[in-house]
Amino acid sequence: MAVEIKGIDVSKWQAHSDGRTKVDFEKLKKLGYDFVILRASIGLSEDVAFHSHYMAAGDAGLHIGAYHYLKASTVKGALAEAEFFLKTMKNKRWIDYPVCLDIENNVQKLLGKKKCTDVALAFLQKVEAAGYYTMIYSGANFIKNYLDMERLRHFDVWLACYTSEARRKELYKHDILGIWQYSSSVILPGVYSGRLDQDVAYKDYAKIITSKKLNRL
């Protein structure tokens, strides 16, 4: 039987302007959710809510992953952002889910498939070399048109595709699917006042990462 583990992902948009989380992670846990993926950084800036989300999710007993939103359009820029991301992750000892590269920006679309893949690969390999279980996040259209997935097939995919499972399989042809972000508009009363991204993981990442002592655990 395939593993299907429920989770959400959040960023500063689910927090107060000073970074305090608006999400009740303890109630989320009681609803049967197992993990949360937090935006740690964007470009060369830390997400203002990263620490608050991290502490609250950890206290609630949720498994935690993290992601970085890439702004770079060159390999050099991607490596600089990877270095910043790693510094942001320093001393975060509860990260037992993948750390992810979010690549979807229009500046990367202008590069063409080869150069865009070069940029993604530079970031992913640098973060992986630091000892993290590293994953790539993007939408089905971006993956199809702007990334060479044969060159990236070493890395699991966290796919954004808001549709039915049958339609998703039509849009996303690759066999590498670790997490599916299947909605951005689910309401969970008592957990958060607005809409939340919804994810399902198809691997027990916490078990894999812990057993291999990755993510500096």
Side-chain angles (χ1 to χ4, degrees), residues 54-85:
Y54 171 81
M55 293 301 296
D59 287 343
L62 289 162
H63 296 296
I64 302 172
Y67 75 94
H68 172 85
Y69 183 91
L70 190 74
K71 286 189 170 183
S73 59
T74 65
V75 167
K76 182 178 180 180
L79 291 173
E81 289 191 31
E83 185 64 33
F84 182 86
F85 177 58

Side-chain angles (χ1 to χ4, degrees), residues 79-128:
L79 291 173
E81 289 191 31
E83 185 64 33
F84 182 86
F85 177 58
L86 289 170
K87 289 179 180 178
T88 304
M89 297 287 291
K90 188 176 181 181
N91 298 324
K92 295 294 190 292
R93 301 299 186 186
W94 296 338
I95 306 293
D96 60 358
Y97 250 62
V99 299
C100 312
L101 168 65
D102 179 351
I103 182 166
E104 56 181 307
N105 197 290
N106 286 334
V107 299
Q108 290 130 19
K109 292 180 180 180
L110 299 174
L111 299 175
K113 184 174 284 191
K114 181 186 181 303
K115 288 184 178 179
C116 187
T117 305
D118 290 343
V119 167
L121 199 56
F123 182 100
L124 291 162
Q125 288 178 336
K126 185 173 181 65
V127 174
E128 184 180 56

Side-chain angles (χ1 to χ4, degrees), residues 6-44:
K6 293 169 60 176
I8 67 169
D9 57 272
V10 296
S11 68
K12 73 172 186 177
W13 305 114
Q14 287 75 45
H16 297 278
S17 59
D18 63 359
R20 289 177 296 117
T21 185
K22 292 182 178 179
V23 181
D24 191 326
F25 290 107
E26 291 187 357
K27 288 184 178 178
L28 183 75
K29 176 76 171 177
K30 289 177 181 178
L31 288 176
Y33 287 77
D34 198 57
F35 72 91
V36 59
I37 303 179
L38 314 175
R39 188 172 75 175
S41 48
I42 172 171
L44 296 175

Side-chain angles (χ1 to χ4, degrees), residues 159 161 163-174:
L159 175 73
C161 190
T163 186
S164 66
E165 186 172 7
R167 180 59 176 155
R168 185 208 79 203
K169 290 179 179 178
E170 293 177 9
L171 295 171
Y172 180 77
K173 302 294 187 180
H174 304 281

